[in-house]
Amino acid sequence: MRGLPHQYRPELAPYFKDAFANHVHLFCAGLMTAASALLTVAEPGFWPTFGLVFFGFSLVLAEAVRRKRLDDKTRARLEPFLLRLRPGDVDGYGWLLRVLADLDGRTPRGRRRSRVALDVIVADERLLEGLIVHCRRREISVEVFAERLGRRGAGGLAPALASLHADGRAREAAVLVMGRRVRPAHLPFLVERAVDWVPEVRAAAHEVLRTRLGQNLELRLRARHAYERVARRKHAPALAQLIDRA
């Protein structure tokens, strides 16, 4: 990314050679799997069936390697921020949001990057706390993510970060988008909005949590952990009751 400070530039491993080999593997395995499937239909027998199983497994393996490489590349782009971004570094958090906006996308590849990036951010409580604090103080902007809320095919990262917007209507819209498909990484953001000072935002977050927490044990555990960060906030008692009832 142009202008990215040196301390936040990732040290990416050589990518083209391995990626090219993986795509060749993927193409050949797909071609042979299709050919084996046609032979199995035309002339059922042991060898066509064996070829279908063998090349099908090779196709699955190649796709798994491709996805892992993409995930590793996404984590590598965020690793400098995990290591070097310090609390209070407003410019650094601004650059982090720019990188996250670049990772977010509507294609299957972009949606996968956004999921991985969201998991990375939520796993680092110090980094997550800094994002929430600086957004609450309006020192950094998540406007680009709020603009993507209505975009078809948006990933899980955009609504999570848009929920930190200064405008209550944008926060409410972000909560409703997360409510359509709640991921475990959304819980810290939903819990934050469940103690929002705007009643409409608070009600939307409570409704999502009330609906989803009873359906998934992992979400309940994430919600209890996230609650510790907001336990002293004004509207926390109502949230505690909701989590206990779930």
Side-chain angles (χ1 to χ4, degrees):
M1 178 179 290
R2 183 176 297 178
L4 184 66
H6 182 268
Q7 67 268 31
Y8 299 130
R9 292 179 185 174
E11 296 181 3
L12 297 176
Y15 182 76
F16 177 78
K17 183 178 179 180
D18 289 342
F20 178 76
N22 181 238
H23 280 85
V24 170
H25 181 190
L26 197 64
F27 173 78
C28 292
L31 185 64
M32 295 305 294
T33 301
S36 299
L38 288 175
L39 285 174
T40 302
V41 172
E43 298 181 11
F46 172 78
W47 289 112
T49 304
F50 176 80
L52 180 62
V53 173
F54 178 81
F55 291 114
F57 177 77
S58 181
L59 180 64
V60 171
L61 180 62
E63 176 63 13
V65 170
R66 186 190 69 84
R67 293 187 180 192
K68 183 180 182 302
R69 182 174 289 110
L70 177 62
D71 294 352
D72 290 343
K73 188 177 180 181
T74 302
R75 294 188 184 97
R77 290 191 65 181
L78 295 174
E79 187 176 11
F81 292 97
L82 300 177
L83 296 175
R84 302 185 183 96
L85 184 55
R86 296 290 177 259
D89 183 358
V90 177
D91 289 339
Y93 277 98
W95 279 110
L96 172 62
L97 288 175
R98 291 187 183 96
V99 171
L100 291 173
D102 187 51
L103 291 172
D104 185 44
R106 289 186 293 176
T107 64
R109 182 186 182 95
R111 289 197 297 271
R112 186 173 185 87
R113 284 200 310 258
S114 74
R115 288 196 301 271
V116 173
L118 180 60
D119 289 339
V120 170
I121 295 301
V122 171
D124 191 309
E125 295 188 8
R126 178 185 56 83
L127 200 65
L128 176 63
E129 179 68 17
L131 267 178
I132 293 173
V133 168
H134 290 303
C135 286
R136 192 161 60 229
R137 293 175 180 172
R138 303 187 181 185
E139 296 172 332
I140 54 178
S141 173
V142 291
E143 183 66 33
V144 63
F145 299 101
E147 293 172 354
R148 295 177 181 181
L149 283 178
R151 191 174 65 175
R152 188 173 182 180
L157 180 63
L161 294 178
S163 72
L164 304 178
H165 198 277
D167 189 334
R169 289 168 296 185
R171 296 199 300 274
E172 183 181 4
V175 168
L176 295 177
V177 172
M178 283 191 284
R180 296 173 192 165
R181 186 179 181 183
V182 178
R183 304 179 185 279
H186 284 153
L187 264 297
F189 300 94
L190 288 170
V191 166
E192 183 70 22
R193 297 285 62 86
V195 294
D196 199 290
W197 67 276
V198 178
E200 291 81 3
V201 179
R202 213 163 52 241
H206 277 233
E207 182 60 28
V208 171
L209 291 171
R210 186 179 298 110
T211 303
R212 300 298 183 182
L213 292 187
Q215 302 172 358
N216 190 307
L217 175 60
E218 183 181 1
L219 295 183
R220 291 200 298 274
L221 294 175
R222 291 284 190 108
R224 289 184 184 278
H225 179 72
Y227 174 77
E228 297 175 5
R229 186 170 45 79
V230 302
R232 297 185 179 182
R233 305 268 280 275
K234 180 179 178 181
H235 302 288
L239 174 60
Q241 292 177 6
L242 186 154
I243 295 174
D244 289 340
R245 283 198 294 268

